[in-house]
Amino acid sequence: MPAPVITATGLTKHYGDLVAVAGIDLEVAPGESFGLLGPNGAGKSTTMRMIGAVSTRTGGDLQVLGLDPDTHGPEIRSQLGVVPQEDNLDTELRVRDNLIVYGRYFGIPRAVCARRADELLAFAQLEDKARSKVDDLSGGMKRRLTIARALVNEPRVLMLDEPTTGLDPQARHVLWDRLFRLKERGTTLVLTTHYMDEAEQLCDRLVVVDQGRIMAEGSPAQLIREHSSREVVELRFGSQRNQAAAERIAGLGDRIETLPDRVLVYAADGEAVVEQVSRLGLHPTTSLVRRSSLEDVFLRLTGRSLIE
């Protein structure tokens, strides 16, 4: 088996009395798309900064591309592509020049930078925007340009911190398509997200993180299979009636979760649960049967919703 590109054992990060990362163990294989799934403040971005050699760890062991980030930061950063949460493009430069100038920071010859810039603009579907100002781009275009810029140095690992936050659904799907193409090329992806559908779409394997700790690890399908039922019934009775209704239907399905706006019933057969609820004389305002998702896994593991 090829050696992991990232290995962490007992990784911790403290900011004074605040424990941001509380002993994380993980491995990322070459060519894998690996995700850290969790709510804001879970420690995902802090972990990414330590892997990216821009923040020193408090404790534990960490190896990135066979090197220690605390002592070989420049060597590691030269082989990484980084897409931060917020686009930090140079608005003084035009779209194509953003790629060329960024490539020059790595000591890449200008002619090579120019060739790669044209290739990456085509990859990001931004060829017709090459001479545009950055401020004239839409949010989705800026995100694709940021990813293209992160690929200028042909990195061994591409790190993406909340890559689609703030984008509309269409822009998200376009971005997912670009990232999926990178997966097909064998690029190692490491991403953080609090969108369960994004994790299911992009990640071969992921860890569920909460309060700086790993709650579970596996493929999306494996985590859903191990920590949830096949289907979920969402019942809405009204915020004042949900708790009472949940008590009436106790015993239906595998388990029940009562949230402020709805009651969730986990079961192998959601339609059968809806029929049972009706036979009990209960009439929810709305009912929905859906398959289990990573949101349900997180709720089961932590007792709270993934996106708060």
Side-chain angles (χ1 to χ4, degrees):
M1 293 290 290
V5 293
I6 300 169
T7 304
T9 306
L11 184 63
T12 62
K13 180 66 176 182
H14 299 175
Y15 296 100
D17 294 332
L18 174 66
V19 181
V21 177
I24 282 181
D25 300 332
L26 58 83
E27 280 192 359
V28 180
E32 184 176 30
S33 180
F34 184 86
L36 291 92
L37 177 69
N40 293 330
K44 307 185 305 296
S45 296
T46 301
T47 301
M48 291 282 272
R49 285 194 291 271
M50 289 188 283
I51 293 172
V54 294
S55 177
T56 57
R57 62 187 182 275
T58 303
D61 295 318
L62 179 61
Q63 294 283 310
V64 180
L65 302 172
L67 302 171
D68 185 335
D70 285 359
T71 55
H72 293 82
E75 294 95 322
I76 291 172
R77 288 191 293 271
S78 69
Q79 300 179 77
L80 298 180
V82 179
V83 179
Q85 279 192 37
E86 301 292 335
D87 295 322
N88 56 356
L89 299 163
D90 193 330
T91 57
E92 300 298 317
L93 299 174
R94 297 190 180 271
V95 167
R96 184 172 182 268
D97 292 335
N98 260 272
L99 304 182
I100 294 172
V101 170
Y102 191 73
R104 295 292 289 149
Y105 291 146
F106 291 93
I108 302 170
R110 178 171 290 275
V112 176
C113 288
R115 174 176 55 79
R116 290 184 187 174
D118 292 335
E119 293 171 353
L120 289 168
L121 288 175
F123 169 78
Q125 296 180 316
L126 293 171
E127 292 167 291
D128 59 336
K129 301 293 183 181
R131 296 190 57 78
S132 299
K133 295 180 179 179
V134 169
D135 287 338
D136 292 337
L137 301 181
S138 67
M141 290 178 180
K142 289 178 181 177
R143 210 68 183 129
R144 299 205 307 269
L145 180 59
T146 302
I147 291 174
R149 187 188 62 179
L151 296 170
V152 164
N153 61 321
E154 298 184 334
R156 292 178 59 187
V157 179
L158 180 63
M159 303 177 63
L160 305 108
D161 198 359
E162 304 286 357
T164 64
T165 296
L167 299 185
D168 62 70
Q170 183 178 8
R172 290 180 72 207
H173 280 277
V174 172
L175 194 59
W176 286 352
D177 176 69
R178 298 298 99 183
L179 294 176
F180 189 76
R181 289 171 187 264
L182 287 174
K183 279 182 59 177
E184 290 184 320
R185 294 181 183 182
T187 302
T188 302
L189 305 180
V190 180
L191 66 118
T192 73
T193 183
H194 59 260
Y195 295 128
M196 71 263 185
D197 55 344
E198 183 160 276
E200 290 187 55
Q201 286 282 339
L202 297 176
C203 296
D204 302 318
R205 192 166 55 89
L206 56 90
V207 291
V208 178
V209 183
D210 187 38
Q211 298 180 349
R213 298 183 183 276
I214 292 177
M215 311 298 291
E217 178 179 353
S219 69
Q222 179 185 359
L223 289 173
I224 291 170
R225 188 167 56 250
E226 291 179 357
H227 298 283
S228 192
S229 58
R230 188 170 69 88
E231 294 185 338
V232 183
V233 183
E234 296 192 2
L235 303 169
R236 286 180 166 82
F237 297 94
S239 58
Q240 302 302 315
R241 300 173 54 215
N242 282 336
Q243 185 61 50
E247 294 172 2
R248 289 276 308 276
I249 62 177
L252 298 186
D254 300 330
R255 79 178 201 279
I256 292 175
E257 295 278 1
T258 305
L259 303 180
D261 62 333
R262 63 197 186 278
V263 178
L264 304 180
V265 183
Y266 293 86
D269 186 344
E271 294 295 344
V273 169
V274 173
E275 292 178 7
Q276 290 175 301
V277 170
S278 179
R279 285 200 294 269
L280 289 171
L282 295 172
H283 304 287
T285 304
T286 63
S287 61
L288 170 69
V289 178
R290 60 171 175 80
R291 71 180 181 89
S292 279
S293 71
L294 289 172
E295 173 88 13
D296 301 300
V297 171
F298 193 84
L299 184 60
R300 176 71 180 273
L301 293 173
T302 70
R304 59 197 179 94
S305 181
L306 183 60
I307 303 174
E308 298 188 319

